[in-house]
Structure formats: structure tokens, C-alpha cells
Amino acid sequence: SIASADMDLNQLEAFLTAQTKKQGGITADQAAVIAKFWKNHRIKIHESLVNQSCWENVLKNMNWRVDLKSQSRHIDQINTPVAIVEMELGKNGQ
């Protein structure tokens, strides 16, 4: 629950307090150990979960712009916006 919600320190404290008060929950010492572990390894755990959820290609870079035609044979084509999007894809972890 802690990792999937990517809890901040306030959320973590509230969650662990609720777990210690729950019937058959964790002890205060266990809550302290979990809190210390989460504080020290939160970024690594989050990155690991993100990497596990990416299957194939990932977006590495994206550039975009909008062009307007300033000259044309037909007047109705002038000032027609054209969006140009360039996306760079790569394999996860490369």
C-alpha cells in the first residue's frame, strides 16, 4: 500500500499509526522500522515499480511546433495551421 500510493512522510505516518491501532496490526517498533526503511529507499522502490510497469518502448524526447502557411495558390489554404510533432522512442532502460 505504501509503495503503490508513493506515500509522502505525512501519509506514511498516518498510515502506520492506523496500522498500529488496528486489531491484529503491527507494533510501534515494526512501524518505526517500516518508516525508516521507506524514508531511506523510497526513490529506489518507486523507480523499480515504474520500470516494472513499462513493457516496451518509452518516450525519450519530444519536440513540436505549429506552422502557418503564408503563401498558397488557393486563398483558403493561407493561415492554415499545421502541427509538426517529433517523438523519439527507445527501449526501456536504454
Coordinates of all heavy atoms in Angstrom, one line a residue:
S1 N 0.8 -1.2 0.0 CA 0.0 0.0 0.0 C 0.9 1.3 0.0 O 0.6 2.2 -0.7 CB -0.9 0.0 1.2 OG -1.8 -1.0 1.2
I2 N 1.9 1.2 0.8 CA 2.8 2.4 0.9 C 3.5 2.7 -0.5 O 3.5 3.8 -1.0 CB 3.9 2.2 2.0 CG1 3.2 2.0 3.3 CG2 4.9 3.3 2.0 CD1 4.2 1.5 4.4
A3 N 4.0 1.6 -1.1 CA 4.7 1.8 -2.4 C 3.7 2.2 -3.5 O 4.0 3.1 -4.3 CB 5.5 0.5 -2.7
S4 N 2.6 1.5 -3.6 CA 1.7 1.8 -4.7 C 1.1 3.2 -4.6 O 0.8 3.8 -5.6 CB 0.6 0.8 -4.8 OG -0.2 0.8 -3.6
A5 N 1.0 3.7 -3.4 CA 0.5 5.1 -3.2 C 1.6 6.1 -3.3 O 1.3 7.3 -3.3 CB -0.3 5.2 -1.9
D6 N 2.8 5.7 -3.3 CA 4.0 6.5 -3.2 C 3.8 7.6 -2.1 O 3.9 8.8 -2.4 CB 4.3 7.2 -4.6 CG 5.7 7.8 -4.7 OD1 6.6 7.4 -4.0 OD2 5.8 8.8 -5.5
M7 N 3.6 7.1 -0.9 CA 3.2 8.0 0.2 C 4.4 8.9 0.6 O 5.5 8.5 0.6 CB 2.9 7.2 1.4 CG 1.6 6.4 1.3 SD 1.2 5.5 2.8 CE -0.2 4.6 2.3
D8 N 4.0 10.2 0.9 CA 5.0 11.1 1.5 C 5.1 10.8 3.0 O 4.4 9.9 3.5 CB 4.6 12.6 1.2 CG 3.3 13.0 1.8 OD1 2.8 12.4 2.7 OD2 2.7 14.0 1.3
L9 N 5.9 11.6 3.7 CA 6.1 11.3 5.1 C 4.9 11.4 5.9 O 4.6 10.7 6.9 CB 7.3 12.1 5.6 CG 8.6 11.9 4.9 CD1 9.7 12.7 5.5 CD2 9.0 10.4 5.1
N10 N 4.0 12.4 5.6 CA 2.8 12.6 6.4 C 1.8 11.5 6.2 O 1.2 11.0 7.1 CB 2.2 14.0 6.1 CG 3.0 15.2 6.5 OD1 3.7 15.1 7.5 ND2 2.9 16.3 5.8
Q11 N 1.7 11.1 4.9 CA 0.8 10.0 4.6 C 1.3 8.7 5.3 O 0.5 7.9 5.8 CB 0.7 9.8 3.1 CG 0.0 10.9 2.4 CD 0.1 10.8 0.9 OE1 1.1 10.4 0.4 NE2 -1.0 11.2 0.2
L12 N 2.6 8.5 5.2 CA 3.2 7.3 5.8 C 2.9 7.2 7.3 O 2.5 6.2 7.8 CB 4.7 7.3 5.5 CG 5.5 6.2 6.2 CD1 5.1 4.8 5.6 CD2 7.0 6.4 6.0
E13 N 3.1 8.4 8.0 CA 2.9 8.4 9.4 C 1.4 8.1 9.8 O 1.1 7.3 10.7 CB 3.3 9.8 10.0 CG 3.1 9.9 11.5 CD 3.5 11.3 12.0 OE1 4.3 11.9 11.4 OE2 3.0 11.6 13.1
A14 N 0.5 8.7 9.0 CA -0.9 8.4 9.3 C -1.3 7.0 9.0 O -2.0 6.3 9.8 CB -1.8 9.3 8.4
F15 N -0.7 6.4 7.9 CA -1.0 5.0 7.6 C -0.5 4.1 8.6 O -1.2 3.1 9.1 CB -0.4 4.7 6.2 CG -0.5 3.3 5.8 CD1 -1.7 2.8 5.3 CD2 0.5 2.4 5.9 CE1 -1.9 1.5 4.9 CE2 0.4 1.1 5.5 CZ -0.8 0.6 5.0
L16 N 0.8 4.3 9.1 CA 1.4 3.4 10.1 C 0.7 3.5 11.4 O 0.5 2.5 12.1 CB 2.9 3.7 10.2 CG 3.7 3.3 9.0 CD1 5.2 3.7 9.1 CD2 3.6 1.8 8.7
T17 N 0.3 4.7 11.8 CA -0.5 4.9 13.0 C -1.8 4.1 13.0 O -2.2 3.5 13.9 CB -0.8 6.4 13.2 OG1 0.5 7.1 13.3 CG2 -1.6 6.6 14.5
A18 N -2.5 4.2 11.8 CA -3.7 3.4 11.7 C -3.4 1.9 11.8 O -4.2 1.2 12.3 CB -4.4 3.7 10.4
Q19 N -2.3 1.5 11.2 CA -2.0 0.0 11.2 C -1.7 -0.4 12.7 O -1.9 -1.6 13.0 CB -0.8 -0.3 10.3 CG -1.1 -0.1 8.8 CD -2.2 -0.9 8.3 OE1 -2.3 -2.1 8.6 NE2 -3.2 -0.3 7.7
T20 N -1.1 0.4 13.5 CA -0.8 0.0 14.9 C -2.0 0.0 15.7 O -2.1 -0.8 16.7 CB 0.2 1.0 15.5 OG1 -0.3 2.3 15.5 CG2 1.6 1.0 14.8
K21 N -3.0 0.8 15.4 CA -4.3 0.8 16.2 C -5.3 -0.3 15.7 O -6.2 -0.6 16.4 CB -4.9 2.1 16.1 CG -4.1 3.2 16.7 CD -4.8 4.6 16.6 CE -3.9 5.6 17.3 NZ -4.5 7.0 17.2
K22 N -5.0 -0.9 14.6 CA -5.9 -1.9 14.0 C -5.7 -3.2 14.8 O -4.6 -3.6 15.2 CB -5.5 -2.1 12.6 CG -6.5 -3.0 11.8 CD -6.0 -3.4 10.5 CE -6.0 -2.7 9.3 NZ -5.6 -3.3 8.1
Q23 N -6.8 -3.9 15.0 CA -6.8 -5.2 15.7 C -6.0 -6.2 14.8 O -6.2 -6.4 13.6 CB -8.2 -5.8 15.8 CG -8.3 -7.1 16.4 CD -8.0 -7.1 17.9 OE1 -8.2 -6.0 18.5 NE2 -7.7 -8.2 18.5
G24 N -4.9 -6.8 15.4 CA -4.0 -7.7 14.7 C -3.1 -7.0 13.8 O -2.5 -7.6 12.9
G25 N -2.9 -5.7 14.0 CA -2.0 -4.9 13.1 C -0.5 -5.0 13.6 O -0.1 -6.0 14.2
I26 N 0.2 -4.0 13.3 CA 1.7 -4.0 13.6 C 2.0 -3.3 14.9 O 1.2 -2.6 15.4 CB 2.5 -3.4 12.4 CG1 2.1 -1.9 12.2 CG2 2.3 -4.2 11.1 CD1 2.9 -1.2 11.2
T27 N 3.2 -3.6 15.4 CA 3.6 -3.0 16.7 C 4.2 -1.6 16.3 O 4.5 -1.3 15.2 CB 4.6 -3.8 17.4 OG1 5.8 -3.9 16.6 CG2 4.0 -5.2 17.7
A28 N 4.4 -0.8 17.4 CA 5.0 0.5 17.2 C 6.5 0.3 16.7 O 7.0 1.1 15.9 CB 5.0 1.3 18.5
D29 N 7.2 -0.7 17.2 CA 8.5 -0.9 16.7 C 8.6 -1.3 15.3 O 9.4 -0.9 14.5 CB 9.2 -2.0 17.6 CG 9.5 -1.6 19.0 OD1 9.6 -0.4 19.2 OD2 9.6 -2.5 19.9
Q30 N 7.6 -2.1 14.9 CA 7.6 -2.5 13.4 C 7.3 -1.3 12.6 O 7.8 -1.1 11.5 CB 6.5 -3.6 13.2 CG 6.9 -4.9 13.8 CD 5.7 -5.9 13.8 OE1 4.5 -5.5 13.9 NE2 6.0 -7.2 13.6
A31 N 6.4 -0.4 13.0 CA 6.0 0.8 12.3 C 7.3 1.7 12.2 O 7.5 2.3 11.1 CB 4.9 1.5 13.0
A32 N 8.1 1.8 13.2 CA 9.3 2.6 13.2 C 10.3 2.0 12.1 O 10.9 2.8 11.4 CB 9.9 2.7 14.6
V33 N 10.4 0.7 12.1 CA 11.3 0.1 11.1 C 10.8 0.3 9.7 O 11.6 0.6 8.8 CB 11.5 -1.4 11.5 CG1 12.2 -2.1 10.3 CG2 12.2 -1.6 12.8
I34 N 9.6 0.1 9.5 CA 9.0 0.3 8.2 C 9.2 1.8 7.7 O 9.5 2.1 6.6 CB 7.5 -0.1 8.1 CG1 7.4 -1.6 8.3 CG2 6.8 0.4 6.8 CD1 5.9 -2.0 8.5
A35 N 8.9 2.7 8.6 CA 9.1 4.2 8.3 C 10.5 4.5 8.0 O 10.8 5.2 7.0 CB 8.6 5.0 9.5
K36 N 11.5 4.0 8.7 CA 12.9 4.2 8.4 C 13.3 3.6 7.1 O 14.0 4.3 6.3 CB 13.7 3.6 9.6 CG 15.2 3.9 9.4 CD 16.0 3.4 10.5 CE 17.5 3.8 10.3 NZ 18.3 3.3 11.4
F37 N 12.8 2.4 6.8 CA 13.1 1.7 5.5 C 12.6 2.5 4.4 O 13.2 2.8 3.4 CB 12.6 0.3 5.5 CG 12.9 -0.4 4.3 CD1 14.1 -1.1 4.1 CD2 12.0 -0.5 3.2 CE1 14.4 -1.7 2.9 CE2 12.2 -1.2 2.1 CZ 13.5 -1.8 1.9
W38 N 11.3 3.0 4.5 CA 10.7 3.8 3.4 C 11.4 5.1 3.2 O 11.6 5.5 2.1 CB 9.2 4.0 3.8 CG 8.5 4.7 2.7 CD1 7.9 6.0 2.8 CD2 8.2 4.3 1.4 NE1 7.3 6.3 1.6 CE2 7.5 5.3 0.7 CE3 8.5 3.1 0.7 CZ2 7.1 5.2 -0.6 CZ3 8.0 3.0 -0.7 CH2 7.4 4.0 -1.3
K39 N 11.8 5.8 4.3 CA 12.5 7.0 4.1 C 13.8 6.9 3.4 O 14.2 7.7 2.6 CB 12.7 7.7 5.5 CG 11.5 8.2 6.1 CD 11.7 8.7 7.6 CE 10.5 9.0 8.3 NZ 10.7 9.3 9.7
N40 N 14.5 5.8 3.7 CA 15.8 5.5 3.0 C 15.7 5.0 1.6 O 16.7 5.2 0.9 CB 16.6 4.6 3.9 CG 17.0 5.2 5.2 OD1 17.2 6.4 5.3 ND2 17.2 4.4 6.3
H41 N 14.6 4.3 1.3 CA 14.6 3.6 0.0 C 13.4 4.0 -0.9 O 13.2 3.3 -1.9 CB 14.6 2.1 0.2 CG 15.8 1.6 1.0 ND1 17.0 1.5 0.4 CD2 15.9 1.1 2.2 CE1 17.9 1.0 1.3 NE2 17.3 0.8 2.4
R42 N 12.7 5.0 -0.6 CA 11.5 5.4 -1.3 C 11.8 5.6 -2.8 O 11.1 5.1 -3.6 CB 11.0 6.7 -0.7 CG 9.8 7.2 -1.5 CD 9.3 8.5 -0.9 NE 8.1 9.0 -1.6 CZ 7.6 10.2 -1.6 NH1 8.2 11.1 -0.7 NH2 6.6 10.6 -2.3
I43 N 12.9 6.3 -3.1 CA 13.2 6.6 -4.5 C 13.5 5.4 -5.3 O 13.0 5.2 -6.4 CB 14.3 7.7 -4.6 CG1 13.8 9.0 -4.0 CG2 14.8 7.9 -6.1 CD1 14.9 10.0 -3.9
K44 N 14.3 4.5 -4.7 CA 14.7 3.2 -5.4 C 13.4 2.4 -5.6 O 13.3 1.7 -6.7 CB 15.7 2.5 -4.6 CG 17.0 3.1 -4.5 CD 18.0 2.3 -3.7 CE 19.3 3.0 -3.5 NZ 20.2 2.3 -2.5
I45 N 12.6 2.3 -4.6 CA 11.4 1.5 -4.7 C 10.4 2.0 -5.8 O 9.9 1.3 -6.7 CB 10.6 1.4 -3.4 CG1 11.5 0.6 -2.4 CG2 9.3 0.7 -3.5 CD1 11.0 0.7 -1.0
H46 N 10.3 3.3 -5.8 CA 9.4 4.0 -6.8 C 10.0 3.7 -8.2 O 9.2 3.4 -9.2 CB 9.3 5.5 -6.6 CG 8.5 6.2 -7.5 ND1 7.1 6.1 -7.6 CD2 8.8 7.0 -8.5 CE1 6.6 6.8 -8.6 NE2 7.6 7.4 -9.2
E47 N 11.3 3.9 -8.4 CA 11.9 3.7 -9.8 C 11.7 2.2 -10.2 O 11.5 1.9 -11.4 CB 13.3 4.1 -9.7 CG 13.6 5.6 -9.7 CD 15.0 5.9 -9.5 OE1 15.9 5.0 -9.4 OE2 15.3 7.1 -9.6
S48 N 11.9 1.3 -9.3 CA 11.7 -0.1 -9.6 C 10.3 -0.4 -10.0 O 10.1 -1.1 -11.0 CB 12.1 -1.0 -8.4 OG 11.8 -2.3 -8.6
L49 N 9.3 0.1 -9.3 CA 7.9 -0.1 -9.7 C 7.6 0.5 -11.1 O 6.9 -0.1 -11.9 CB 7.0 0.5 -8.7 CG 6.9 -0.3 -7.4 CD1 6.0 0.5 -6.3 CD2 6.4 -1.7 -7.6
V50 N 8.1 1.7 -11.4 CA 7.9 2.3 -12.7 C 8.6 1.5 -13.8 O 8.0 1.2 -14.8 CB 8.5 3.8 -12.7 CG1 8.5 4.3 -14.1 CG2 7.7 4.7 -11.8
N51 N 9.8 1.0 -13.6 CA 10.5 0.2 -14.6 C 9.7 -1.1 -14.8 O 9.7 -1.6 -15.9 CB 11.9 -0.1 -14.1 CG 12.8 1.1 -14.3 OD1 12.5 2.0 -15.1 ND2 13.9 1.2 -13.5
Q52 N 9.2 -1.7 -13.8 CA 8.4 -3.0 -13.9 C 7.1 -2.7 -14.7 O 6.6 -3.7 -15.3 CB 8.1 -3.6 -12.6 CG 9.3 -4.1 -11.8 CD 8.9 -4.6 -10.4 OE1 7.8 -4.9 -10.2 NE2 9.9 -4.7 -9.6
S53 N 6.6 -1.5 -14.6 CA 5.3 -1.3 -15.3 C 5.5 -0.9 -16.8 O 4.5 -0.9 -17.5 CB 4.5 -0.2 -14.6 OG 5.2 1.0 -14.7
C54 N 6.7 -0.6 -17.2 CA 7.0 -0.2 -18.6 C 7.2 -1.5 -19.4 O 8.1 -2.3 -19.0 CB 8.1 0.7 -18.7 SG 7.9 2.3 -18.0
W55 N 6.5 -1.8 -20.4 CA 6.6 -3.0 -21.2 C 7.6 -2.9 -22.3 O 8.5 -3.7 -22.4 CB 5.3 -3.5 -21.7 CG 4.3 -3.9 -20.6 CD1 4.6 -4.2 -19.3 CD2 2.9 -4.0 -20.7 NE1 3.5 -4.5 -18.6 CE2 2.4 -4.3 -19.4 CE3 2.0 -3.7 -21.7 CZ2 1.1 -4.5 -19.2 CZ3 0.7 -3.9 -21.5 CH2 0.2 -4.3 -20.2
E56 N 7.4 -2.0 -23.2 CA 8.1 -1.9 -24.4 C 8.8 -0.6 -24.5 O 9.6 -0.2 -23.6 CB 7.2 -2.1 -25.6 CG 6.7 -3.5 -25.7 CD 7.7 -4.6 -26.0 OE1 8.7 -4.3 -26.7 OE2 7.5 -5.7 -25.5
N57 N 8.6 0.2 -25.6 CA 9.2 1.4 -25.8 C 8.7 2.5 -24.9 O 7.6 2.5 -24.4 CB 9.0 1.9 -27.3 CG 9.6 1.0 -28.3 OD1 10.7 0.4 -28.0 ND2 9.1 0.9 -29.5
V58 N 9.6 3.5 -24.6 CA 9.3 4.6 -23.8 C 9.6 5.9 -24.5 O 10.5 5.9 -25.4 CB 10.0 4.6 -22.4 CG1 9.6 3.4 -21.6 CG2 11.5 4.5 -22.6
L59 N 9.0 7.0 -24.2 CA 9.2 8.2 -24.8 C 10.5 8.9 -24.2 O 10.6 9.1 -23.1 CB 8.0 9.2 -24.6 CG 8.1 10.5 -25.3 CD1 8.1 10.4 -26.8 CD2 6.9 11.4 -24.9
K60 N 11.5 9.1 -25.1 CA 12.8 9.7 -24.7 C 12.8 11.2 -24.8 O 13.3 11.9 -24.0 CB 13.9 9.1 -25.5 CG 14.1 7.6 -25.3 CD 14.7 7.3 -23.9 CE 15.0 5.8 -23.8 NZ 15.5 5.5 -22.5
N61 N 12.2 11.7 -25.9 CA 12.2 13.1 -26.2 C 11.1 13.5 -27.1 O 10.6 12.6 -27.9 CB 13.6 13.5 -26.8 CG 13.8 15.0 -26.9 OD1 13.1 15.7 -26.2 ND2 14.7 15.4 -27.8
M62 N 10.6 14.7 -27.0 CA 9.5 15.2 -27.9 C 9.7 16.6 -28.2 O 10.0 17.4 -27.3 CB 8.2 15.0 -27.2 CG 7.0 15.3 -28.1 SD 5.4 15.0 -27.3 CE 4.9 16.7 -27.0
N63 N 9.6 16.9 -29.5 CA 9.7 18.3 -30.0 C 8.4 18.6 -30.8 O 7.9 17.7 -31.5 CB 10.9 18.5 -30.9 CG 12.2 18.4 -30.1 OD1 12.3 18.9 -29.0 ND2 13.1 17.6 -30.6
W64 N 7.9 19.8 -30.7 CA 6.7 20.1 -31.5 C 6.8 21.6 -31.9 O 7.5 22.4 -31.3 CB 5.5 19.8 -30.8 CG 5.2 20.6 -29.5 CD1 5.8 20.4 -28.3 CD2 4.5 21.8 -29.5 NE1 5.4 21.4 -27.4 CE2 4.6 22.3 -28.1 CE3 3.8 22.6 -30.4 CZ2 4.0 23.4 -27.7 CZ3 3.2 23.8 -29.9 CH2 3.3 24.2 -28.6
R65 N 6.0 21.9 -33.0 CA 5.8 23.3 -33.4 C 4.6 23.4 -34.2 O 4.1 22.3 -34.7 CB 7.0 23.8 -34.2 CG 7.2 23.2 -35.6 CD 8.4 23.8 -36.3 NE 8.3 23.5 -37.7 CZ 9.2 22.8 -38.4 NH1 10.2 22.4 -37.8 NH2 9.0 22.6 -39.7
V66 N 4.1 24.6 -34.4 CA 2.9 24.8 -35.2 C 3.3 25.8 -36.3 O 3.9 26.9 -36.0 CB 1.7 25.4 -34.4 CG1 0.5 25.7 -35.3 CG2 1.3 24.4 -33.3
D67 N 3.1 25.4 -37.6 CA 3.4 26.2 -38.7 C 2.2 26.8 -39.3 O 1.1 26.1 -39.3 CB 4.2 25.4 -39.8 CG 5.6 25.0 -39.4 OD1 6.1 25.6 -38.4 OD2 6.2 24.1 -40.0
L68 N 2.2 28.0 -39.9 CA 1.1 28.6 -40.7 C 1.6 28.8 -42.1 O 2.7 29.3 -42.3 CB 0.7 29.9 -40.1 CG 0.1 29.8 -38.7 CD1 -0.2 31.2 -38.1 CD2 -1.2 29.1 -38.7
K69 N 0.8 28.4 -43.1 CA 1.1 28.7 -44.5 C 0.9 30.2 -44.7 O -0.1 30.8 -44.4 CB 0.2 27.9 -45.4 CG 0.6 26.6 -45.7 CD -0.3 26.0 -46.8 CE 0.3 24.7 -47.3 NZ -0.5 24.1 -48.4
S70 N 2.0 30.8 -45.3 CA 1.9 32.2 -45.6 C 1.7 32.4 -47.1 O 1.3 33.5 -47.5 CB 3.1 32.9 -45.2 OG 4.3 32.4 -45.8
Q71 N 1.9 31.4 -48.0 CA 1.7 31.5 -49.4 C 1.0 30.2 -49.9 O 1.3 29.2 -49.4 CB 3.0 31.7 -50.1 CG 3.7 33.0 -49.9 CD 5.0 33.1 -50.6 OE1 5.4 32.2 -51.4 NE2 5.7 34.2 -50.5
S72 N 0.1 30.4 -50.8 CA -0.5 29.3 -51.4 C -1.2 29.7 -52.7 O -1.5 30.9 -52.9 CB -1.6 28.7 -50.5 OG -2.2 27.6 -51.0
R73 N -1.4 28.7 -53.6 CA -2.2 29.0 -54.8 C -3.6 29.4 -54.5 O -4.3 30.1 -55.2 CB -2.2 27.8 -55.8 CG -0.8 27.6 -56.4 CD -0.9 26.4 -57.4 NE 0.4 26.1 -57.8 CZ 0.7 25.0 -58.6 NH1 -0.3 24.2 -58.9 NH2 1.9 24.8 -59.0
H74 N -4.2 28.7 -53.5 CA -5.6 29.0 -53.1 C -5.6 29.7 -51.8 O -5.0 29.4 -50.8 CB -6.3 27.6 -52.9 CG -6.2 26.7 -54.2 ND1 -6.8 27.0 -55.3 CD2 -5.4 25.6 -54.4 CE1 -6.5 26.1 -56.2 NE2 -5.6 25.2 -55.7
I75 N -6.4 30.8 -51.8 CA -6.5 31.7 -50.7 C -7.0 31.0 -49.4 O -6.6 31.4 -48.3 CB -7.4 32.9 -51.0 CG1 -7.3 34.0 -49.9 CG2 -8.8 32.6 -51.1 CD1 -6.4 35.1 -50.3
D76 N -7.9 30.0 -49.5 CA -8.4 29.3 -48.4 C -7.4 28.5 -47.6 O -7.6 28.0 -46.5 CB -9.6 28.5 -48.7 CG -9.3 27.4 -49.7 OD1 -8.3 27.5 -50.5 OD2 -10.1 26.4 -49.8
Q77 N -6.2 28.2 -48.2 CA -5.2 27.4 -47.6 C -4.2 28.3 -46.8 O -3.4 27.8 -46.0 CB -4.4 26.6 -48.6 CG -5.2 25.5 -49.2 CD -4.5 24.7 -50.2 OE1 -3.4 25.1 -50.7 NE2 -5.0 23.5 -50.6
I78 N -4.3 29.6 -46.9 CA -3.4 30.5 -46.2 C -3.8 30.6 -44.7 O -5.0 30.5 -44.4 CB -3.4 31.9 -46.8 CG1 -2.8 31.9 -48.2 CG2 -2.6 32.9 -46.0 CD1 -2.8 33.2 -49.0
N79 N -2.8 30.7 -43.9 CA -3.0 30.7 -42.4 C -3.7 29.4 -41.9 O -4.3 29.4 -40.8 CB -3.9 31.9 -42.0 CG -3.1 33.2 -42.2 OD1 -1.9 33.2 -42.1 ND2 -3.8 34.2 -42.4
T80 N -3.5 28.3 -42.6 CA -4.0 27.0 -42.1 C -2.9 26.4 -41.2 O -1.7 26.2 -41.6 CB -4.2 26.0 -43.3 OG1 -5.2 26.6 -44.2 CG2 -4.7 24.7 -42.8
P81 N -3.2 26.2 -39.9 CA -2.2 25.7 -39.0 C -1.9 24.2 -39.3 O -2.7 23.4 -39.6 CB -2.8 25.9 -37.6 CG -4.2 25.9 -37.9 CD -4.5 26.4 -39.2
V82 N -0.6 23.9 -39.2 CA -0.1 22.5 -39.3 C 0.8 22.2 -38.1 O 1.8 22.9 -37.9 CB 0.7 22.3 -40.6 CG1 1.3 20.9 -40.7 CG2 -0.2 22.7 -41.8
A83 N 0.4 21.2 -37.4 CA 1.2 20.8 -36.2 C 2.3 19.8 -36.6 O 1.9 18.8 -37.3 CB 0.4 20.2 -35.1
I84 N 3.5 20.0 -36.2 CA 4.6 19.0 -36.5 C 5.1 18.5 -35.2 O 5.5 19.3 -34.3 CB 5.7 19.7 -37.3 CG1 5.2 20.2 -38.7 CG2 6.9 18.7 -37.5 CD1 6.1 21.0 -39.5
V85 N 5.0 17.2 -35.0 CA 5.4 16.6 -33.8 C 6.5 15.5 -34.1 O 6.4 14.7 -34.9 CB 4.2 15.9 -33.1 CG1 4.7 15.2 -31.8 CG2 3.1 16.9 -32.8
E86 N 7.6 15.6 -33.3 CA 8.7 14.7 -33.4 C 8.9 14.0 -32.1 O 9.1 14.6 -31.1 CB 10.0 15.4 -33.8 CG 11.2 14.5 -33.9 CD 12.5 15.2 -34.1 OE1 12.5 16.5 -34.1 OE2 13.5 14.6 -34.4
M87 N 8.7 12.6 -32.1 CA 8.9 11.9 -30.9 C 10.0 10.9 -31.0 O 10.1 10.2 -32.0 CB 7.6 11.1 -30.5 CG 6.4 12.1 -30.2 SD 5.0 11.2 -29.7 CE 4.2 10.8 -31.2
E88 N 10.9 10.8 -30.0 CA 12.0 9.9 -30.0 C 11.6 8.8 -29.0 O 11.4 9.0 -27.8 CB 13.3 10.6 -29.6 CG 14.5 9.6 -29.5 CD 15.7 10.4 -29.1 OE1 15.7 11.6 -28.9 OE2 16.7 9.7 -28.8
L89 N 11.6 7.5 -29.5 CA 11.2 6.4 -28.7 C 12.5 5.5 -28.5 O 13.4 5.5 -29.3 CB 10.2 5.5 -29.4 CG 8.8 6.2 -29.7 CD1 7.9 5.2 -30.4 CD2 8.2 6.6 -28.4
G90 N 12.5 4.9 -27.3 CA 13.7 4.0 -27.0 C 13.2 2.8 -26.2 O 12.1 2.8 -25.6
K91 N 14.0 1.8 -26.1 CA 13.7 0.7 -25.2 C 13.9 1.1 -23.8 O 14.7 1.9 -23.4 CB 14.6 -0.5 -25.6 CG 14.4 -1.1 -26.9 CD 13.2 -1.9 -26.9 CE 13.0 -2.6 -28.3 NZ 11.7 -3.2 -28.4
N92 N 13.0 0.5 -23.0 CA 13.1 0.8 -21.5 C 14.4 0.4 -20.9 O 14.9 -0.7 -21.2 CB 12.0 0.0 -20.8 CG 11.8 0.4 -19.4 OD1 12.2 1.5 -19.0 ND2 11.3 -0.5 -18.6
G93 N 15.1 1.3 -20.3 CA 16.4 1.0 -19.6 C 17.6 1.3 -20.5 O 18.7 1.0 -20.1
Q94 N 17.4 1.7 -21.7 CA 18.5 2.0 -22.6 C 18.5 3.5 -22.9 O 17.6 4.2 -22.9 CB 18.3 1.3 -24.0 CG 18.4 -0.2 -23.8 CD 18.2 -1.0 -25.1 OE1 17.9 -0.4 -26.1 NE2 18.4 -2.2 -25.1

